[in-house]
Amino acid sequence: MPQTRQADRHADRHVDDAARVVLPAPRTPDPREAPALGWGVIAPGGIAASFVEALRAHTEQRVVAVGSRDAARARAFADRFGIPGAYGTYADVLGDARVDIVYIASPHSGHFEQALRAIEAGKHVLVEKAFTRNAREAEQLVQAAREQGVFLMEAMWTRFLPHIDVVRQVLDLGLLGEVRTVTADHGQFMNPDAAHRLFAPELAGGALLDLGVYPVSFASMVLGPFASVTTVGDKAFTGVDGQVSIVVTGESGAHGVLNTTLYARTPTTASISGTRARLEIEGDFYAPATVRLISRERELLCSYVPAQREGGLCYEAAEAARCIAAGRLESDLMPLDETLRVMHVLDGIRRDLGVTFPGE
């Protein structure tokens, strides 16, 4: 990121004098202060349950409807969380006048069609990451939302968390000096089961879209648009990507070293190393996490420890509510053009690996 002389002096003062170093406090607004909206949930699975729990515990948002292709499943979810509307079709959720915004929590393969129907119904939309199967679908959604005049955002929850705002401020202040290297990984061990959604090509499975999107999005946030992307990886037994290692370069020449895998539980940490100092984000870096500022001499200068570690999905919902109340159709923290840029990178990585999904 470009630095002014003032930022350089600020960085020298704070990094060279360990006794005085204090990481900036997050500027993230209290999620409870966000204007309350009526939310409809599409696809009541595990991530939907975590989302609703976070809203109930940490916001004033109201979940008013849930839809599933299985009416009994929708009713069970509604009963569990005290949701007044339970529907056996997604169309019924979109037809509910109490619903201001729809949260799409289905597998990646369903995002495009479900989000498009919601946009066409005039609803605001929050779409789980990865946004769609590919950039072509993402571009169509963005165009539709802009034409319809509704809010649309990728639910890349990491971008809205307080510790990531600390990271942004550190970069803006130039405390690390010139950024040279970014690292991030996200790997989980998954039993090789063809019925599991992450191994299912028809559900747009694989490590990259579900897990690897976190390291790629993080590197994009830090480095900006990539000047180059180099990929090494292999396919799982079903033909989806099983493990991927990626080296990217930013326009400044900085490198990003990223990894994702379905074969092992990795540290899921991230770091940003500069000419003056480095930031280390503990695992899981994409969730509320401790951030440490380390000097060139490997001395711990200071740390940021999150006050809240549970319910982090509340921050993305609060951001959406604030934007909608202000009449904004996208978020400055996760702009639609940034989502499109990341989707194009993911497309290129899959091309390199020879991974395609049915119907692409």
Side-chain angles (χ1 to χ4, degrees):
M1 293 187 176
Q3 297 180 11
T4 64
R5 291 181 180 178
Q6 181 179 3
D8 283 344
R9 290 195 297 271
H10 190 84
D12 287 332
R13 182 173 71 250
H14 281 269
V15 174
D16 294 341
D17 185 356
R20 298 172 57 188
V21 171
V22 177
L23 282 172
R27 302 162 297 186
T28 312
D30 184 343
R32 289 194 182 278
E33 296 177 356
L37 298 180
W39 289 78
V41 174
I42 296 294
I47 189 64
S50 296
F51 182 80
V52 174
E53 287 171 350
L55 265 57
R56 284 162 54 93
H58 303 291
T59 78
E60 300 300 321
Q61 305 303 308
R62 297 173 289 104
V63 182
V64 297
V66 58
S68 171
R69 292 190 176 98
D70 182 338
R73 190 179 186 203
R75 172 47 57 195
F77 191 91
D79 290 344
R80 175 182 173 187
F81 294 110
I83 300 170
Y87 300 112
T89 72
Y90 300 147
D92 286 336
V93 174
L94 304 182
D96 190 325
R98 297 170 296 182
V99 173
D100 302 308
I101 180 169
V102 175
Y103 172 59
I104 308 292
S106 57
H108 313 123
S109 55
H111 289 180
F112 171 70
E113 179 182 355
Q114 293 154 11
L116 184 60
R117 297 288 86 78
I119 291 167
E120 292 173 342
K123 303 295 186 182
H124 304 295
V125 188
L126 177 65
V127 185
E128 255 309 324
K129 58 81 197 163
F131 193 62
T132 50
R133 294 185 304 172
N134 53 52
R136 177 180 54 80
E137 292 180 345
E139 288 170 346
Q140 291 182 54
L141 286 187
V142 170
Q143 180 180 351
R146 287 172 172 167
E147 291 176 351
Q148 188 72 11
V150 298
F151 177 85
L152 176 65
M153 189 174 80
E154 179 184 7
M156 175 49 72
W157 67 305
T158 307
R159 296 282 184 116
F160 310 101
L161 297 175
H163 77 290
I164 295 299
D165 186 64
V166 174
V167 172
R168 286 193 186 94
Q169 293 184 72
V170 167
L171 294 172
D172 289 342
L173 291 169
L175 297 185
L176 305 182
E178 182 184 356
V179 171
R180 298 307 309 167
T181 305
V182 177
T183 68
D185 74 281
H186 189 182
Q188 304 285 345
F189 175 76
M190 301 291 176
N191 286 313
D193 178 0
H196 191 287
R197 69 176 182 86
L198 290 186
F199 288 104
E202 67 275 12
L203 297 180
L208 186 65
L209 292 191
D210 199 79
L211 310 179
V213 66
Y214 285 115
V216 172
S217 183
F218 179 77
S220 181
M221 183 191 77
V222 176
L223 299 178
F226 300 151
S228 68
V229 180
T230 304
T231 303
V232 176
D234 56 54
K235 298 180 184 180
F237 66 100
T238 57
V240 301
D241 57 282
Q243 177 160 307
V244 191
S245 294
I246 309 151
V247 176
V248 302
T249 60
E251 293 177 345
S252 68
H255 291 188
V257 182
L258 318 172
N259 176 263
T260 186
T261 180
L262 298 178
Y263 304 143
R265 181 64 163 91
T266 65
T268 63
T269 57
S271 68
I272 307 170
S273 298
T275 53
R276 290 195 182 95
R278 76 174 180 270
L279 276 184
E280 296 179 349
I281 309 176
E282 69 175 6
D284 298 322
F285 80 88
Y286 50 85
T290 295
V291 178
R292 298 182 178 89
L293 182 64
I294 311 293
S295 73
R296 282 190 301 236
E297 291 73 33
R298 296 186 292 183
E299 178 186 6
L300 174 62
L301 301 178
C302 57
S303 300
Y304 164 77
V305 180
Q308 174 187 323
R309 290 188 179 268
E310 301 299 324
L313 295 175
C314 69
Y315 290 98
E316 63 185 6
E319 172 69 4
R322 287 191 297 269
C323 289
I324 292 167
R328 289 184 283 139
L329 301 184
E330 59 184 285
S331 167
D332 292 338
L333 298 180
M334 192 67 211
L336 293 173
D337 286 346
E338 169 72 348
T339 289
L340 294 178
R341 183 160 52 241
V342 170
M343 288 306 309
H344 278 288
V345 170
L346 298 178
D347 278 5
I349 293 169
R350 287 200 294 120
R351 280 195 301 269
D352 290 343
L353 299 175
V355 172
T356 59
F357 301 129
E360 284 193 306

